[in-house]
Amino acid sequence: MSWILDGSRIKANYCGATVQGIVTDSRVKYGGEVQYTVKLDEALVLPWGGRSAGDTVLVNRSEIAYRDWE
């Protein structure tokens, strides 16, 4: 199994919210943890902000709850 998930659909935890979308970039951060750039299906609105946080987020591999091949 490769750590590169570009093009994969995932569901992940982001700041306490469940988000889902397509991985557009995979990288290894300094220190060895893998991080993904995810283009969300729907713009994210965080409860404490009251406005849209955008349609792209960065998530760590440990925050992924579901991958399209599972």
Side-chain angles (χ1 to χ4, degrees):
M1 179 169 78
S2 175
W3 60 270
I4 300 172
L5 300 181
D6 296 8
S8 297
R9 174 168 293 285
I10 65 166
K11 189 179 286 188
N13 177 28
Y14 179 78
C15 294
T18 301
V19 296
Q20 63 182 15
I22 303 290
V23 175
T24 59
D25 186 54
S26 305
R27 75 181 193 102
V28 178
K29 297 184 340 180
Y30 182 75
E33 186 161 11
V34 178
Q35 184 179 63
Y36 302 102
T37 303
V38 181
K39 174 78 171 154
L40 301 176
D41 294 339
E42 297 178 10
L44 175 64
V45 177
L46 297 173
W48 58 84
R51 58 185 178 152
S52 176
D55 62 354
T56 304
V57 295
L58 298 173
V59 296
N60 293 329
R61 186 177 186 93
S62 60
E63 298 167 328
I64 295 176
Y66 169 82
R67 294 176 287 244
D68 61 358
W69 66 85
E70 292 181 328

